[in-house]
């Protein structure tokens, strides 16, 4: 919906957001049944940074960042600004001036399905960004869009107040109503992975720990000595 700014949407509980941020993108994504990932197109402009927060969304027209200005006003401490456009755009819609305003309000970072610029300055400021493009091309401020309405990024619906987790592996979105369940699922998955990690450190194979030898048999995979393999005329 164009020309709409929704104020004070519900947000996921802060304690659930903080806990999910501790687990990271891959664990949260896997623990929810491999859902919520925004895909490989969203890359960090920095490294070794992990954030989690609640989404404030902005829908803009390509090459027009008017609604980012409107979204800044709706942001509060602990939020992450999530921006997309009505059609594909790589223009540099966000830079260090926006980041300065958002840092003042306690915003933890930006996820944008468009371009950013001033990336060296953003890194120096410690303002994390995940984007689909980096581009110096400027924008205008002329067309109405929306703030705090559902948006789609990477095929994933993001609603205001949903949990966003982002790190070097990308970005994942957790619906705000599922945040508590996601915490429990991530805790269980982490415990399982810790047990597997300890077993692998002692020499156990994944084939045995995960029962994959039976899977190989079921799929008809067989073992063959190299000498027999080469005698059958297979390439060396």
């Amino acid at each position: 919906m164009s020309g709409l700014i929704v104020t004070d949407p519900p947000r996921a509980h802060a304690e659930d957001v903080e806990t999910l941020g501790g687990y990271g993108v891959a664990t949260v994504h896997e623990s929810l049944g491999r859902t919520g990932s925004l895909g490989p197109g969203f890359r960090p402009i920095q490294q070794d940074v992990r954030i989690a927060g609640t989404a404030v969304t902005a829908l803009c027209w390509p090459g027009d960042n008017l609604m980012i200005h409107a979204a800044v006003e709706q942001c509060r401490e602990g939020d992450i600004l999530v921006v997309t456009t009505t059609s594909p755009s790589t223009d540099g819609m966000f830079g260090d001036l926006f980041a300065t305003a958002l840092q003042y309000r306690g915003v933890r970072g930006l996820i944008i399905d468009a371009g950013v610029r001033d990336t060296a300055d953003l890194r120096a400021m410690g303002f994390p960004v995940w984007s689909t493009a980096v581009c110096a091309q400027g924008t205008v401020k002329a067309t109405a869009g929306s703030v705090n309405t559902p948006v789609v990024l990477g095929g994933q619906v993001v609603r205001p107040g949903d949990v966003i987790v982002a790190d070097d592996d990308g970005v994942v979105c957790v619906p705000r109503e599922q945040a508590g369940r996601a915490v429990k699922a991530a805790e269980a998955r982490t415990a399982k992975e810790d047990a597997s990690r300890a077993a692998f450190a002692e020499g156990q194979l994944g084939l045995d720990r995960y029962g994959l030898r039976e899977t190989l048999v079921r799929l008809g995979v067989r073992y063959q000595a190299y000498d027999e393999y080469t005698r059958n005329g297979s390439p060396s």
Side-chain angles (χ1 to χ4, degrees), residues 62-65 89-94 117 135-141:
D64 191 316
N65 67 4
S89 176
T90 58
D91 294 337
M93 299 178 64
F94 185 100
R117 59 185 187 178
C135 183
Q137 175 67 43
T139 57
V140 299
K141 301 163 181 61

Side-chain angles (χ1 to χ4, degrees), residues 153-215:
L153 294 86
Q156 177 69 35
V157 176
V158 179
R159 301 168 306 154
D162 285 348
V163 183
I164 300 295
V165 182
D167 60 22
D168 287 349
D169 292 336
V171 184
V172 67
C173 175
V174 179
R176 59 179 181 265
E177 301 91 346
Q178 298 182 30
R181 181 175 72 86
V183 167
K184 294 178 180 178
E187 180 181 7
R189 181 172 181 85
T190 299
K192 181 179 178 181
E193 288 182 344
D194 287 346
S196 294
R197 188 175 295 106
F200 294 155
E202 295 177 355
Q204 187 177 16
L205 296 174
L207 285 173
D208 298 314
R209 184 165 187 84
Y210 302 141
L212 297 178
R213 294 191 188 279
E214 292 82 356
T215 302

Side-chain angles (χ1 to χ4, degrees), residues 16-152:
D16 291 335
V17 175
E18 297 303 320
T19 303
L20 288 172
Y23 288 117
V25 169
T27 296
V28 173
H29 166 66
E30 291 282 355
S31 66
L32 289 177
R34 300 179 184 175
T35 62
S37 172
L38 272 58
F42 290 85
R43 302 307 306 151
I45 66 166
Q46 66 287 312
Q47 293 294 310
D48 301 324
V49 173
R50 177 184 294 167
I51 63 171
T54 43
V56 168
T57 65
L59 177 64
C60 302
W61 282 68
D64 191 316
N65 67 4
L66 173 63
M67 300 314 292
I68 298 180
H69 285 276
V72 171
E73 183 182 27
Q74 302 305 315
C75 290
R76 69 188 194 191
E77 186 172 358
D79 284 337
I80 293 175
L81 182 58
V82 178
V83 179
T84 190
T85 53
T86 57
S87 61
S89 176
T90 58
D91 294 337
M93 299 178 64
F94 185 100
D96 70 301
L97 295 180
F98 271 136
T100 300
L102 290 174
Q103 278 189 327
Y104 175 82
R105 304 181 80 85
V107 174
R108 294 176 176 174
L110 170 76
I111 313 298
I112 182 168
D113 192 359
V116 295
R117 59 185 187 178
D118 305 330
T119 55
D121 294 326
L122 293 171
R123 286 190 291 272
M125 294 171 63
F127 188 83
V129 172
W130 284 255
S131 72
T132 54
V134 174
C135 183
Q137 175 67 43
T139 57
V140 299
K141 301 163 181 61
T143 313
S146 300
V147 174
N148 276 337
T149 63
V151 294
V152 177

